[in-house]
Amino acid sequence: MTKLNWGMIGGGNGSQIGPAHRIAAGLDGLFSFAAGALDHDADAGRAFGRSLGLAADRSYGDWREMLAGEAARADRVELVTIATPNATHYEIAKAFLQAGFHVLCEKPMTVTVAQAEDLVRTAAQAGRVCAVNYGYTGYALVRHMRAMVARGDIGRVRLVVAEFAHGHHANAADMDNPRVRWRYDPAQAGVSAQFADCGIHAMHMASFVTGQEVATLSADFASCLAGRVLEDDAMVNFRMEGGTVGRLWTSSVAIGRQHGLTLQVFGETGGLRWSQEQPNQLFYMPLGQRLQVIERGEGNLSPEADCASRVTVGHAEGMPLAFANIYRDLAETLNAAREARKPDPAKTLFPGAADGLRSIAAIHAAVVSAQNAGRWEDARPPMFR
């Protein structure tokens, strides 16, 4: 199979997310890192790209230069990953989609609902994939949770409890650290900080696993560090379209919590619990029976879990491998289209533009709710109501 050419915008030297994407895209040998505009400083971006092995003429100074350069090539990149600050996602993603490139955008996909709806339409009109990197849905046991819920192992889902709390922004001395400061700056982050940055991962995972979308929500936001315009802690209650009740807590000031992404799903006949910090175990409690521990890589799991596992049982798999499953899903989708065949349904679970849109709508609904003492708001985007 011929490798797909892949390019990246953002994720430069010192980036938190850039290395994870580069490891993930290259892990299965399905993509070749061919082009990049990796830094807001043009010279630094070009130099870093060359240090990673990019050809000098494909290590670009900015995304516009990359768009023009790649569009003119017969061996142009087929997929472009956007890993830049939130406020830039929409303009870059739309430009590349309209030029015929497939896009994987970091979350949040945009900063406004109107922009997100426009990207959904743009991708459809262009006939191109616009994926959103809710990368934690790539974990094998998250996908197994989804399969267990879908086949009725825990009965009708009654309640889902999600958390994404850490304490890495709790130090007031870091207020002016550029890697922290931009997340609480409305000009760069949009209308929400912690909920848009981390909480939305947990909310999307709740939808991914239960197969239900969020319909309404009620939110309480707090800025625990004086001087922050946007929230660093949030509690969100939500109701899903299938009747499931949802509870979500997210925080960046929870000292002692490291990553803190967890999901619990409680149904009529059983419950499930998974934590990103211990991703190799899924805890399953059937009603009236003993607790079972499902291990990643063991036999008799779902096809979705089996094909998302790369190493034998008992060995740790981490976040870059979960991201790699998103890239593998995208490669399967793009190759199937090129080969005029149906893609493997167990390998096409990547979140799309519609998921990104629903998340943006939920973010804006939560902001309005928090500004109105927790008033319940419709969390659905207008185009899906």
Side-chain angles (χ1 to χ4, degrees):
M1 181 181 294
T2 303
K3 288 186 178 183
L4 299 163
N5 282 336
W6 168 69
M8 189 172 194
I9 301 166
N13 194 14
S15 162
Q16 177 183 357
I17 203 68
H21 277 285
R22 289 188 287 274
I23 292 168
L27 190 64
D28 295 315
L30 299 172
F31 290 95
S32 177
F33 185 29
L38 304 177
D39 200 293
H40 65 90
D41 181 295
D43 291 338
R46 291 189 184 100
F48 186 57
R50 291 193 298 271
S51 77
L52 295 175
L54 294 181
D57 65 338
R58 301 185 82 175
S59 186
Y60 299 99
D62 61 43
W63 69 266
R64 291 181 177 85
E65 182 184 336
M66 178 172 163
L67 177 59
E70 291 301 306
R73 299 183 66 102
D75 61 345
R76 61 193 276 174
V77 295
E78 295 179 68
L79 175 69
V80 176
T81 293
I82 300 170
T84 55
N86 302 353
T88 65
H89 291 175
Y90 169 68
E91 181 182 18
I92 300 172
K94 182 168 184 175
F96 274 87
L97 288 167
Q98 288 181 323
F101 296 89
H102 301 286
V103 167
L104 171 60
C105 187
E106 266 300 329
K107 42 57 52 191
M109 185 172 74
T110 64
V111 295
T112 73
V113 176
Q115 289 174 347
E117 290 191 332
D118 188 46
L119 281 190
V120 171
R121 296 188 186 99
T122 298
Q125 291 165 0
R128 291 296 180 264
V129 170
C130 181
V132 183
N133 189 42
Y134 291 109
Y136 303 112
T137 61
Y139 276 102
L141 290 182
V142 171
R143 295 185 170 199
H144 189 59
M145 286 178 80
R146 173 189 171 103
M148 290 182 70
V149 170
R151 69 193 186 196
D153 288 7
I154 63 170
R156 184 182 65 84
V157 177
R158 293 168 171 165
L159 174 66
V160 58
V161 180
E163 292 186 3
F164 197 157
H166 66 82
H168 300 303
H169 300 166
N171 190 347
D174 281 340
M175 287 283 283
D176 289 327
N177 181 336
R179 291 183 63 180
V180 174
R181 186 179 62 232
W182 78 267
R183 298 175 185 276
Y184 302 92
D185 177 5
Q188 298 183 73
V191 297
S192 168
Q194 181 60 18
F195 183 58
D197 185 32
C198 293
I200 205 65
H201 271 298
M203 182 170 280
H204 174 263
M205 189 175 286
S207 290
F208 180 80
V209 168
T210 64
Q212 299 180 41
E213 302 298 344
V214 175
T216 59
L217 59 76
S218 168
D220 179 38
F221 284 6
S223 296
C224 296
L225 270 68
R228 280 186 177 159
V229 177
L230 299 178
E231 85 287 349
D232 50 27
D233 187 275
M235 180 66 75
V236 181
N237 293 314
F238 58 93
R239 301 295 176 110
M240 308 187 86
E241 290 180 343
T244 294
V245 175
R247 313 291 189 209
L248 187 154
W249 171 53
T250 185
S251 182
S252 64
V253 296
I255 297 173
R257 298 290 292 268
Q258 294 301 321
H259 192 264
L261 175 58
T262 64
L263 185 71
Q264 299 178 82
V265 182
F266 304 102
E268 294 173 320
T269 60
L272 296 164
R273 174 167 54 89
W274 178 86
S275 171
Q276 194 266 342
E277 292 182 1
Q278 286 134 354
N280 271 14
Q281 288 83 39
L282 171 62
F283 296 90
Y284 170 41
M285 175 67 84
L287 181 65
Q289 299 182 40
R290 291 182 176 178
L291 178 67
Q292 300 177 22
V293 181
I294 298 170
E295 293 279 350
R296 184 210 53 77
E298 69 183 16
N300 300 314
L301 297 186
S302 61
E304 293 89 339
D306 288 340
C307 68
S309 249
R310 290 177 178 77
V311 298
T312 54
V313 64
H315 294 83
E317 284 192 3
M319 181 261 279
L321 278 73
F323 280 26
N325 285 328
I326 303 297
Y327 279 95
R328 187 212 53 202
D329 288 357
L330 288 164
E332 172 66 11
T333 298
L334 301 187
N335 281 321
R338 186 166 58 181
E339 297 161 8
R341 62 174 174 82
K342 290 184 178 180
D344 183 341
K347 297 180 180 178
T348 53
L349 300 179
F350 65 88
D355 298 290
L357 166 59
R358 289 185 184 278
S359 295
I360 301 305
I363 289 167
H364 281 265
V367 170
V368 172
S369 174
Q371 291 171 343
N372 290 276
R375 185 179 70 197
W376 283 86
E377 298 288 338
D378 194 328
R380 299 169 300 169
M383 71 184 298
F384 292 160
R385 293 180 187 175

